[in-house]
Amino acid sequence: MNWTCPYCDKAQTVTVANHFKGQMLLDIGVSASGPIHLQSEAISCANEDCRRATVLVRLINYKGGRGKTFLARQLMPESAARPQPDCIPAALREDYAEACLVRDLSPKASATLARRCLQGMIRDFCGISKPTLFKEIAALKQQVDEGNAPRGVSIESVEAIDYIRQIGNIGAHMEKDINIIVDVDSDEAQVLIELIETLFDEWYVARARREERFAKVKQIADEKAQQKLLAASAVGDEASSVD
Ligand SMILES: [Zn+2]
């Protein structure tokens, strides 16, 4: 089974040695919910630097031999938030992590946090600050159209943000205050969470990688210049010793 560790983000093949799946019937006599089976599944990460445990539980009903999961929860880690690097401001990472944590329990709260995170990104990365998220997206779109958006902000990423404006309640409430709680389901909240993950990657992580690459080039150039200088002074020394 192919699987990606939610802690360290490492893709791997799960083997019998680090995977457990078990199921039992909760023997409670006759119940309006029918016979309930509790299934548990656990995986230990194969990455030696991680080795952390992921634990899931499912409640399953069997009717006519076919099982139907009616409740599924990931117990460890508590949230499906992906690990995010330090190049993303802490406040944005916190909003993102919390939006992931409450996605299934309270999609409304999750979507509100996700919208706040999205607004925080547009303000921080793009330097755009308007009274509503709706106006900020419009301003960002205009910047991209005019070719003066911050480096890393692609037409595709702005189109993805703009697409969110068209999603039912999320879009309808963007013209209002960011803190207004919008009635959404967990699938809609997930769309926002995935957008944030994509933008974290395309904006912040890509910028950090670019800066790192250029710092390396500069370091090499500096070293070469230093070597040249040393070589030149060595030649100078030789010349003066001949005198
Ligand atoms: Zn791991």
Side-chain angles (χ1 to χ4, degrees):
M1 178 173 84
N2 291 325
W3 176 76
T4 301
C5 175
Y7 299 100
C8 67
D9 222 16
K10 201 173 174 75
Q12 54 199 270
T13 307
V14 174
T15 62
V16 181
N18 65 347
H19 180 223
F20 169 88
K21 197 172 188 177
Q23 192 169 304
M24 61 171 158
L25 169 69
L26 303 179
D27 194 1
I28 50 170
V30 178
S31 136
S33 312
I36 303 167
H37 291 251
L38 172 67
Q39 187 184 74
S40 57
E41 186 171 9
I43 302 167
S44 167
C45 178
N47 173 10
E48 280 184 14
D49 296 329
C50 175
R51 290 283 188 213
R52 296 177 76 183
T54 298
V55 180
L56 304 122
V57 289
R58 295 179 195 93
L59 292 179
I60 303 168
N61 255 164
Y62 282 91
K63 265 180 197 153
R66 289 235 319 253
K68 188 173 182 278
T69 301
F70 63 94
L71 190 90
R73 287 278 184 277
Q74 184 168 295
L75 302 185
M76 286 173 69
E78 234 182 327
S79 128
R82 286 169 45 201
Q84 299 295 342
D86 291 345
C87 62
I88 298 159
L92 299 180
R93 277 184 281 143
E94 276 166 29
D95 277 351
Y96 160 76
E98 221 167 306
C100 293
L101 184 66
V102 299
R103 186 196 61 202
D104 295 327
L105 294 174
S106 174
K108 287 188 217 177
S110 176
T112 304
L113 283 160
R115 281 189 307 156
R116 196 171 80 167
C117 183
L118 185 61
Q119 180 168 55
M121 258 190 277
I122 294 172
R123 289 184 171 177
D124 173 68
F125 195 89
C126 308
I128 295 170
S129 190
K130 303 263 179 216
T132 66
L133 182 54
F134 194 88
K135 284 186 179 141
E136 285 166 340
I137 294 170
L140 180 59
K141 218 176 162 197
Q142 195 183 343
Q143 278 192 0
V144 169
D145 287 343
E146 289 168 359
N148 52 20
R151 193 172 295 181
V153 177
S154 64
I155 293 172
E156 289 80 8
S157 63
V158 176
E159 277 173 351
I161 297 171
D162 201 43
Y163 171 69
I164 294 292
R165 290 201 296 187
Q166 298 159 26
I167 297 179
N169 283 327
I170 300 173
H173 286 76
M174 271 193 183
E175 290 192 67
K176 296 179 184 145
D177 186 82
I178 192 76
N179 291 313
I180 286 175
I181 292 169
V182 184
D183 200 9
V184 294
D185 60 30
S186 57
D187 287 343
E188 287 174 306
Q190 180 58 25
V191 171
L192 276 169
I193 286 170
E194 282 173 21
L195 173 70
I196 288 166
E197 287 171 346
T198 306
L199 295 180
F200 274 171
D201 222 39
E202 281 188 11
W203 293 4
Y204 289 99
V205 176
R207 180 173 70 184
R209 255 192 236 124
R210 257 196 324 268
E211 285 170 358
E212 203 181 304
R213 269 202 305 270
F214 288 135
K216 240 179 231 163
V217 171
K218 190 177 178 302
Q219 194 192 343
I220 292 167
D222 285 350
E223 279 168 14
K224 289 261 185 260
Q226 193 68 26
Q227 281 167 8
K228 234 182 198 172
L229 218 67
L230 285 171
S233 75
V235 169
D237 285 348
E238 267 170 36
S240 59
S241 67
V242 168
D243 281 343

PDB file of all heavy atoms in Angstrom, residues 119-152:
ATOM      1  N   GLN A 119      -6.511  35.765   3.441  1.00  0.00           N
ATOM      2  CA  GLN A 119      -6.381  37.221   3.484  1.00  0.00           C
ATOM      3  C   GLN A 119      -5.001  37.620   4.029  1.00  0.00           C
ATOM      4  O   GLN A 119      -4.352  38.521   3.498  1.00  0.00           O
ATOM      5  CB  GLN A 119      -7.480  37.824   4.364  1.00  0.00           C
ATOM      6  CG  GLN A 119      -7.378  39.340   4.446  1.00  0.00           C
ATOM      7  CD  GLN A 119      -8.623  39.966   5.060  1.00  0.00           C
ATOM      8  OE1 GLN A 119      -9.026  39.612   6.160  1.00  0.00           O
ATOM      9  NE2 GLN A 119      -9.239  40.866   4.331  1.00  0.00           N
ATOM     10  N   GLY A 120      -4.566  36.905   5.074  1.00  0.00           N
ATOM     11  CA  GLY A 120      -3.251  37.184   5.659  1.00  0.00           C
ATOM     12  C   GLY A 120      -2.144  37.017   4.630  1.00  0.00           C
ATOM     13  O   GLY A 120      -1.196  37.799   4.576  1.00  0.00           O
ATOM     14  N   MET A 121      -2.285  35.997   3.778  1.00  0.00           N
ATOM     15  CA  MET A 121      -1.285  35.741   2.737  1.00  0.00           C
ATOM     16  C   MET A 121      -1.258  36.842   1.702  1.00  0.00           C
ATOM     17  O   MET A 121      -0.198  37.295   1.282  1.00  0.00           O
ATOM     18  CB  MET A 121      -1.646  34.426   2.034  1.00  0.00           C
ATOM     19  CG  MET A 121      -0.807  33.268   2.468  1.00  0.00           C
ATOM     20  SD  MET A 121      -1.103  31.874   1.405  1.00  0.00           S
ATOM     21  CE  MET A 121      -2.542  31.223   2.146  1.00  0.00           C
ATOM     22  N   ILE A 122      -2.448  37.272   1.267  1.00  0.00           N
ATOM     23  CA  ILE A 122      -2.521  38.327   0.249  1.00  0.00           C
ATOM     24  C   ILE A 122      -1.926  39.627   0.813  1.00  0.00           C
ATOM     25  O   ILE A 122      -1.216  40.351   0.134  1.00  0.00           O
ATOM     26  CB  ILE A 122      -3.975  38.525  -0.239  1.00  0.00           C
ATOM     27  CG1 ILE A 122      -4.442  37.266  -0.988  1.00  0.00           C
ATOM     28  CG2 ILE A 122      -4.086  39.740  -1.146  1.00  0.00           C
ATOM     29  CD1 ILE A 122      -5.911  37.263  -1.362  1.00  0.00           C
ATOM     30  N   ARG A 123      -2.178  39.884   2.083  1.00  0.00           N
ATOM     31  CA  ARG A 123      -1.646  41.095   2.726  1.00  0.00           C
ATOM     32  C   ARG A 123      -0.136  41.007   2.907  1.00  0.00           C
ATOM     33  O   ARG A 123       0.585  41.959   2.620  1.00  0.00           O
ATOM     34  CB  ARG A 123      -2.326  41.317   4.073  1.00  0.00           C
ATOM     35  CG  ARG A 123      -3.763  41.751   3.886  1.00  0.00           C
ATOM     36  CD  ARG A 123      -4.458  42.087   5.178  1.00  0.00           C
ATOM     37  NE  ARG A 123      -5.760  42.684   4.869  1.00  0.00           N
ATOM     38  CZ  ARG A 123      -6.637  43.047   5.781  1.00  0.00           C
ATOM     39  NH1 ARG A 123      -6.351  42.894   7.066  1.00  0.00           N
ATOM     40  NH2 ARG A 123      -7.784  43.591   5.427  1.00  0.00           N
ATOM     41  N   ASP A 124       0.335  39.854   3.389  1.00  0.00           N
ATOM     42  CA  ASP A 124       1.762  39.705   3.689  1.00  0.00           C
ATOM     43  C   ASP A 124       2.598  39.528   2.428  1.00  0.00           C
ATOM     44  O   ASP A 124       3.566  40.238   2.211  1.00  0.00           O
ATOM     45  CB  ASP A 124       1.967  38.496   4.619  1.00  0.00           C
ATOM     46  CG  ASP A 124       3.434  38.196   4.837  1.00  0.00           C
ATOM     47  OD1 ASP A 124       4.108  39.030   5.481  1.00  0.00           O
ATOM     48  OD2 ASP A 124       3.925  37.154   4.359  1.00  0.00           O
ATOM     49  N   PHE A 125       2.207  38.586   1.577  1.00  0.00           N
ATOM     50  CA  PHE A 125       3.043  38.260   0.414  1.00  0.00           C
ATOM     51  C   PHE A 125       2.885  39.276  -0.709  1.00  0.00           C
ATOM     52  O   PHE A 125       3.838  39.628  -1.381  1.00  0.00           O
ATOM     53  CB  PHE A 125       2.712  36.850  -0.103  1.00  0.00           C
ATOM     54  CG  PHE A 125       3.735  36.295  -1.057  1.00  0.00           C
ATOM     55  CD1 PHE A 125       4.821  35.566  -0.579  1.00  0.00           C
ATOM     56  CD2 PHE A 125       3.630  36.502  -2.423  1.00  0.00           C
ATOM     57  CE1 PHE A 125       5.780  35.066  -1.448  1.00  0.00           C
ATOM     58  CE2 PHE A 125       4.581  36.002  -3.301  1.00  0.00           C
ATOM     59  CZ  PHE A 125       5.658  35.279  -2.810  1.00  0.00           C
ATOM     60  N   CYS A 126       1.648  39.749  -0.900  1.00  0.00           N
ATOM     61  CA  CYS A 126       1.387  40.631  -2.039  1.00  0.00           C
ATOM     62  C   CYS A 126       1.302  42.101  -1.631  1.00  0.00           C
ATOM     63  O   CYS A 126       1.251  42.974  -2.497  1.00  0.00           O
ATOM     64  CB  CYS A 126       0.096  40.226  -2.750  1.00  0.00           C
ATOM     65  SG  CYS A 126       0.068  38.478  -3.173  1.00  0.00           S
ATOM     66  N   GLY A 127       1.278  42.377  -0.338  1.00  0.00           N
ATOM     67  CA  GLY A 127       1.232  43.768   0.130  1.00  0.00           C
ATOM     68  C   GLY A 127      -0.055  44.483  -0.224  1.00  0.00           C
ATOM     69  O   GLY A 127      -0.074  45.707  -0.388  1.00  0.00           O
ATOM     70  N   ILE A 128      -1.149  43.728  -0.372  1.00  0.00           N
ATOM     71  CA  ILE A 128      -2.437  44.341  -0.707  1.00  0.00           C
ATOM     72  C   ILE A 128      -3.331  44.319   0.524  1.00  0.00           C
ATOM     73  O   ILE A 128      -3.531  43.261   1.125  1.00  0.00           O
ATOM     74  CB  ILE A 128      -3.139  43.572  -1.849  1.00  0.00           C
ATOM     75  CG1 ILE A 128      -2.328  43.688  -3.140  1.00  0.00           C
ATOM     76  CG2 ILE A 128      -4.564  44.078  -2.063  1.00  0.00           C
ATOM     77  CD1 ILE A 128      -2.805  42.766  -4.243  1.00  0.00           C
ATOM     78  N   SER A 129      -3.861  45.476   0.917  1.00  0.00           N
ATOM     79  CA  SER A 129      -4.753  45.517   2.070  1.00  0.00           C
ATOM     80  C   SER A 129      -5.972  46.383   1.745  1.00  0.00           C
ATOM     81  O   SER A 129      -5.856  47.580   1.516  1.00  0.00           O
ATOM     82  CB  SER A 129      -4.003  46.083   3.273  1.00  0.00           C
ATOM     83  OG  SER A 129      -4.784  45.920   4.425  1.00  0.00           O
ATOM     84  N   LYS A 130      -7.123  45.731   1.660  1.00  0.00           N
ATOM     85  CA  LYS A 130      -8.400  46.412   1.362  1.00  0.00           C
ATOM     86  C   LYS A 130      -9.413  46.009   2.431  1.00  0.00           C
ATOM     87  O   LYS A 130      -9.185  45.066   3.177  1.00  0.00           O
ATOM     88  CB  LYS A 130      -8.902  45.974  -0.021  1.00  0.00           C
ATOM     89  CG  LYS A 130      -7.934  46.229  -1.158  1.00  0.00           C
ATOM     90  CD  LYS A 130      -8.248  47.514  -1.877  1.00  0.00           C
ATOM     91  CE  LYS A 130      -7.235  47.752  -2.995  1.00  0.00           C
ATOM     92  NZ  LYS A 130      -6.919  49.167  -3.162  1.00  0.00           N
ATOM     93  N   PRO A 131     -10.551  46.711   2.478  1.00  0.00           N
ATOM     94  CA  PRO A 131     -11.537  46.389   3.527  1.00  0.00           C
ATOM     95  C   PRO A 131     -12.087  44.959   3.467  1.00  0.00           C
ATOM     96  O   PRO A 131     -12.425  44.389   4.483  1.00  0.00           O
ATOM     97  CB  PRO A 131     -12.658  47.394   3.285  1.00  0.00           C
ATOM     98  CG  PRO A 131     -12.064  48.469   2.463  1.00  0.00           C
ATOM     99  CD  PRO A 131     -10.973  47.838   1.666  1.00  0.00           C
ATOM    100  N   THR A 132     -12.206  44.376   2.280  1.00  0.00           N
ATOM    101  CA  THR A 132     -12.732  43.008   2.199  1.00  0.00           C
ATOM    102  C   THR A 132     -11.812  42.116   1.359  1.00  0.00           C
ATOM    103  O   THR A 132     -11.065  42.596   0.501  1.00  0.00           O
ATOM    104  CB  THR A 132     -14.129  42.963   1.536  1.00  0.00           C
ATOM    105  OG1 THR A 132     -13.985  43.360   0.168  1.00  0.00           O
ATOM    106  CG2 THR A 132     -15.129  43.860   2.242  1.00  0.00           C
ATOM    107  N   LEU A 133     -11.914  40.820   1.615  1.00  0.00           N
ATOM    108  CA  LEU A 133     -11.132  39.845   0.854  1.00  0.00           C
ATOM    109  C   LEU A 133     -11.490  39.909  -0.630  1.00  0.00           C
ATOM    110  O   LEU A 133     -10.632  39.782  -1.498  1.00  0.00           O
ATOM    111  CB  LEU A 133     -11.407  38.441   1.421  1.00  0.00           C
ATOM    112  CG  LEU A 133     -10.656  37.258   0.816  1.00  0.00           C
ATOM    113  CD1 LEU A 133      -9.162  37.472   0.831  1.00  0.00           C
ATOM    114  CD2 LEU A 133     -11.000  35.969   1.562  1.00  0.00           C
ATOM    115  N   PHE A 134     -12.765  40.146  -0.890  1.00  0.00           N
ATOM    116  CA  PHE A 134     -13.257  40.264  -2.266  1.00  0.00           C
ATOM    117  C   PHE A 134     -12.482  41.344  -3.025  1.00  0.00           C
ATOM    118  O   PHE A 134     -12.014  41.145  -4.137  1.00  0.00           O
ATOM    119  CB  PHE A 134     -14.751  40.610  -2.217  1.00  0.00           C
ATOM    120  CG  PHE A 134     -15.468  40.435  -3.526  1.00  0.00           C
ATOM    121  CD1 PHE A 134     -16.015  39.214  -3.873  1.00  0.00           C
ATOM    122  CD2 PHE A 134     -15.605  41.502  -4.404  1.00  0.00           C
ATOM    123  CE1 PHE A 134     -16.687  39.049  -5.077  1.00  0.00           C
ATOM    124  CE2 PHE A 134     -16.274  41.346  -5.609  1.00  0.00           C
ATOM    125  CZ  PHE A 134     -16.818  40.115  -5.955  1.00  0.00           C
ATOM    126  N   LYS A 135     -12.332  42.504  -2.380  1.00  0.00           N
ATOM    127  CA  LYS A 135     -11.628  43.632  -3.015  1.00  0.00           C
ATOM    128  C   LYS A 135     -10.132  43.350  -3.136  1.00  0.00           C
ATOM    129  O   LYS A 135      -9.481  43.790  -4.080  1.00  0.00           O
ATOM    130  CB  LYS A 135     -11.863  44.918  -2.214  1.00  0.00           C
ATOM    131  CG  LYS A 135     -13.253  45.495  -2.449  1.00  0.00           C
ATOM    132  CD  LYS A 135     -13.413  46.836  -1.780  1.00  0.00           C
ATOM    133  CE  LYS A 135     -14.817  47.393  -2.075  1.00  0.00           C
ATOM    134  NZ  LYS A 135     -15.376  48.065  -0.904  1.00  0.00           N
ATOM    135  N   GLU A 136      -9.603  42.634  -2.172  1.00  0.00           N
ATOM    136  CA  GLU A 136      -8.170  42.291  -2.215  1.00  0.00           C
ATOM    137  C   GLU A 136      -7.874  41.346  -3.380  1.00  0.00           C
ATOM    138  O   GLU A 136      -6.867  41.496  -4.073  1.00  0.00           O
ATOM    139  CB  GLU A 136      -7.750  41.649  -0.884  1.00  0.00           C
ATOM    140  CG  GLU A 136      -7.622  42.677   0.223  1.00  0.00           C
ATOM    141  CD  GLU A 136      -7.551  42.088   1.616  1.00  0.00           C
ATOM    142  OE1 GLU A 136      -7.964  40.930   1.806  1.00  0.00           O
ATOM    143  OE2 GLU A 136      -7.085  42.785   2.519  1.00  0.00           O
ATOM    144  N   ILE A 137      -8.780  40.387  -3.597  1.00  0.00           N
ATOM    145  CA  ILE A 137      -8.587  39.453  -4.714  1.00  0.00           C
ATOM    146  C   ILE A 137      -8.675  40.212  -6.044  1.00  0.00           C
ATOM    147  O   ILE A 137      -7.874  39.988  -6.950  1.00  0.00           O
ATOM    148  CB  ILE A 137      -9.621  38.298  -4.661  1.00  0.00           C
ATOM    149  CG1 ILE A 137      -9.365  37.424  -3.425  1.00  0.00           C
ATOM    150  CG2 ILE A 137      -9.554  37.458  -5.924  1.00  0.00           C
ATOM    151  CD1 ILE A 137     -10.455  36.405  -3.134  1.00  0.00           C
ATOM    152  N   ALA A 138      -9.633  41.138  -6.112  1.00  0.00           N
ATOM    153  CA  ALA A 138      -9.792  41.941  -7.330  1.00  0.00           C
ATOM    154  C   ALA A 138      -8.525  42.758  -7.589  1.00  0.00           C
ATOM    155  O   ALA A 138      -8.048  42.847  -8.735  1.00  0.00           O
ATOM    156  CB  ALA A 138     -11.007  42.854  -7.191  1.00  0.00           C
ATOM    157  N   ALA A 139      -7.941  43.335  -6.533  1.00  0.00           N
ATOM    158  CA  ALA A 139      -6.728  44.145  -6.675  1.00  0.00           C
ATOM    159  C   ALA A 139      -5.547  43.275  -7.124  1.00  0.00           C
ATOM    160  O   ALA A 139      -4.738  43.682  -7.960  1.00  0.00           O
ATOM    161  CB  ALA A 139      -6.404  44.840  -5.355  1.00  0.00           C
ATOM    162  N   LEU A 140      -5.485  42.060  -6.585  1.00  0.00           N
ATOM    163  CA  LEU A 140      -4.402  41.146  -6.945  1.00  0.00           C
ATOM    164  C   LEU A 140      -4.528  40.722  -8.408  1.00  0.00           C
ATOM    165  O   LEU A 140      -3.544  40.671  -9.142  1.00  0.00           O
ATOM    166  CB  LEU A 140      -4.428  39.906  -6.028  1.00  0.00           C
ATOM    167  CG  LEU A 140      -3.346  38.857  -6.277  1.00  0.00           C
ATOM    168  CD1 LEU A 140      -1.955  39.451  -6.130  1.00  0.00           C
ATOM    169  CD2 LEU A 140      -3.508  37.680  -5.325  1.00  0.00           C
ATOM    170  N   LYS A 141      -5.770  40.485  -8.826  1.00  0.00           N
ATOM    171  CA  LYS A 141      -6.041  40.101 -10.211  1.00  0.00           C
ATOM    172  C   LYS A 141      -5.588  41.210 -11.164  1.00  0.00           C
ATOM    173  O   LYS A 141      -4.981  40.945 -12.203  1.00  0.00           O
ATOM    174  CB  LYS A 141      -7.545  39.855 -10.376  1.00  0.00           C
ATOM    175  CG  LYS A 141      -7.848  38.696 -11.287  1.00  0.00           C
ATOM    176  CD  LYS A 141      -9.320  38.417 -11.341  1.00  0.00           C
ATOM    177  CE  LYS A 141      -9.611  37.586 -12.571  1.00  0.00           C
ATOM    178  NZ  LYS A 141     -11.012  37.583 -12.929  1.00  0.00           N
ATOM    179  N   GLN A 142      -5.879  42.437 -10.757  1.00  0.00           N
ATOM    180  CA  GLN A 142      -5.500  43.591 -11.574  1.00  0.00           C
ATOM    181  C   GLN A 142      -3.971  43.685 -11.678  1.00  0.00           C
ATOM    182  O   GLN A 142      -3.430  43.931 -12.760  1.00  0.00           O
ATOM    183  CB  GLN A 142      -6.069  44.866 -10.960  1.00  0.00           C
ATOM    184  CG  GLN A 142      -6.024  46.045 -11.919  1.00  0.00           C
ATOM    185  CD  GLN A 142      -6.531  47.331 -11.258  1.00  0.00           C
ATOM    186  OE1 GLN A 142      -7.198  47.286 -10.219  1.00  0.00           O
ATOM    187  NE2 GLN A 142      -6.214  48.465 -11.861  1.00  0.00           N
ATOM    188  N   GLN A 143      -3.285  43.456 -10.555  1.00  0.00           N
ATOM    189  CA  GLN A 143      -1.813  43.484 -10.548  1.00  0.00           C
ATOM    190  C   GLN A 143      -1.251  42.449 -11.522  1.00  0.00           C
ATOM    191  O   GLN A 143      -0.313  42.727 -12.257  1.00  0.00           O
ATOM    192  CB  GLN A 143      -1.280  43.171  -9.148  1.00  0.00           C
ATOM    193  CG  GLN A 143      -1.276  44.358  -8.204  1.00  0.00           C
ATOM    194  CD  GLN A 143      -0.469  44.075  -6.937  1.00  0.00           C
ATOM    195  OE1 GLN A 143       0.093  42.999  -6.755  1.00  0.00           O
ATOM    196  NE2 GLN A 143      -0.405  45.052  -6.061  1.00  0.00           N
ATOM    197  N   VAL A 144      -1.842  41.244 -11.504  1.00  0.00           N
ATOM    198  CA  VAL A 144      -1.368  40.177 -12.385  1.00  0.00           C
ATOM    199  C   VAL A 144      -1.617  40.561 -13.840  1.00  0.00           C
ATOM    200  O   VAL A 144      -0.738  40.415 -14.695  1.00  0.00           O
ATOM    201  CB  VAL A 144      -2.046  38.824 -12.044  1.00  0.00           C
ATOM    202  CG1 VAL A 144      -1.767  37.781 -13.106  1.00  0.00           C
ATOM    203  CG2 VAL A 144      -1.556  38.320 -10.695  1.00  0.00           C
ATOM    204  N   ASP A 145      -2.820  41.097 -14.127  1.00  0.00           N
ATOM    205  CA  ASP A 145      -3.168  41.507 -15.494  1.00  0.00           C
ATOM    206  C   ASP A 145      -2.212  42.586 -16.001  1.00  0.00           C
ATOM    207  O   ASP A 145      -1.839  42.611 -17.173  1.00  0.00           O
ATOM    208  CB  ASP A 145      -4.611  42.040 -15.534  1.00  0.00           C
ATOM    209  CG  ASP A 145      -5.629  40.914 -15.395  1.00  0.00           C
ATOM    210  OD1 ASP A 145      -5.231  39.746 -15.594  1.00  0.00           O
ATOM    211  OD2 ASP A 145      -6.814  41.195 -15.077  1.00  0.00           O
ATOM    212  N   GLU A 146      -1.813  43.500 -15.094  1.00  0.00           N
ATOM    213  CA  GLU A 146      -0.933  44.602 -15.497  1.00  0.00           C
ATOM    214  C   GLU A 146       0.542  44.217 -15.427  1.00  0.00           C
ATOM    215  O   GLU A 146       1.415  45.026 -15.749  1.00  0.00           O
ATOM    216  CB  GLU A 146      -1.205  45.826 -14.602  1.00  0.00           C
ATOM    217  CG  GLU A 146      -2.560  46.468 -14.895  1.00  0.00           C
ATOM    218  CD  GLU A 146      -2.983  47.489 -13.839  1.00  0.00           C
ATOM    219  OE1 GLU A 146      -2.216  47.685 -12.866  1.00  0.00           O
ATOM    220  OE2 GLU A 146      -4.063  48.075 -13.993  1.00  0.00           O
ATOM    221  N   GLY A 147       0.801  42.985 -14.975  1.00  0.00           N
ATOM    222  CA  GLY A 147       2.175  42.489 -14.951  1.00  0.00           C
ATOM    223  C   GLY A 147       3.027  43.033 -13.818  1.00  0.00           C
ATOM    224  O   GLY A 147       4.247  43.005 -13.897  1.00  0.00           O
ATOM    225  N   ASN A 148       2.411  43.571 -12.765  1.00  0.00           N
ATOM    226  CA  ASN A 148       3.230  44.042 -11.644  1.00  0.00           C
ATOM    227  C   ASN A 148       2.901  43.355 -10.313  1.00  0.00           C
ATOM    228  O   ASN A 148       3.048  43.941  -9.246  1.00  0.00           O
ATOM    229  CB  ASN A 148       3.170  45.576 -11.516  1.00  0.00           C
ATOM    230  CG  ASN A 148       1.731  46.088 -11.483  1.00  0.00           C
ATOM    231  OD1 ASN A 148       0.821  45.312 -11.178  1.00  0.00           O
ATOM    232  ND2 ASN A 148       1.525  47.355 -11.787  1.00  0.00           N
ATOM    233  N   ALA A 149       2.485  42.094 -10.410  1.00  0.00           N
ATOM    234  CA  ALA A 149       2.240  41.308  -9.193  1.00  0.00           C
ATOM    235  C   ALA A 149       3.583  40.864  -8.623  1.00  0.00           C
ATOM    236  O   ALA A 149       4.574  40.816  -9.354  1.00  0.00           O
ATOM    237  CB  ALA A 149       1.383  40.094  -9.527  1.00  0.00           C
ATOM    238  N   PRO A 150       3.638  40.566  -7.319  1.00  0.00           N
ATOM    239  CA  PRO A 150       4.904  40.099  -6.741  1.00  0.00           C
ATOM    240  C   PRO A 150       5.389  38.842  -7.458  1.00  0.00           C
ATOM    241  O   PRO A 150       4.579  38.047  -7.943  1.00  0.00           O
ATOM    242  CB  PRO A 150       4.532  39.768  -5.295  1.00  0.00           C
ATOM    243  CG  PRO A 150       3.252  40.455  -5.026  1.00  0.00           C
ATOM    244  CD  PRO A 150       2.556  40.605  -6.329  1.00  0.00           C
ATOM    245  N   ARG A 151       6.703  38.668  -7.529  1.00  0.00           N
ATOM    246  CA  ARG A 151       7.270  37.497  -8.187  1.00  0.00           C
ATOM    247  C   ARG A 151       6.737  36.216  -7.530  1.00  0.00           C
ATOM    248  O   ARG A 151       6.642  36.141  -6.314  1.00  0.00           O
ATOM    249  CB  ARG A 151       8.788  37.547  -8.074  1.00  0.00           C
ATOM    250  CG  ARG A 151       9.458  36.550  -8.984  1.00  0.00           C
ATOM    251  CD  ARG A 151      10.932  36.762  -8.995  1.00  0.00           C
ATOM    252  NE  ARG A 151      11.287  38.063  -9.583  1.00  0.00           N
ATOM    253  CZ  ARG A 151      12.545  38.465  -9.721  1.00  0.00           C
ATOM    254  NH1 ARG A 151      13.526  37.714  -9.294  1.00  0.00           N
ATOM    255  NH2 ARG A 151      12.822  39.629 -10.262  1.00  0.00           N
ATOM    256  N   GLY A 152       6.353  35.237  -8.337  1.00  0.00           N
ATOM    257  CA  GLY A 152       5.852  33.976  -7.794  1.00  0.00           C
ATOM    258  C   GLY A 152       4.329  33.894  -7.833  1.00  0.00           C
ATOM    259  O   GLY A 152       3.765  32.826  -7.714  1.00  0.00           O
TER     260      GLY A 152
END
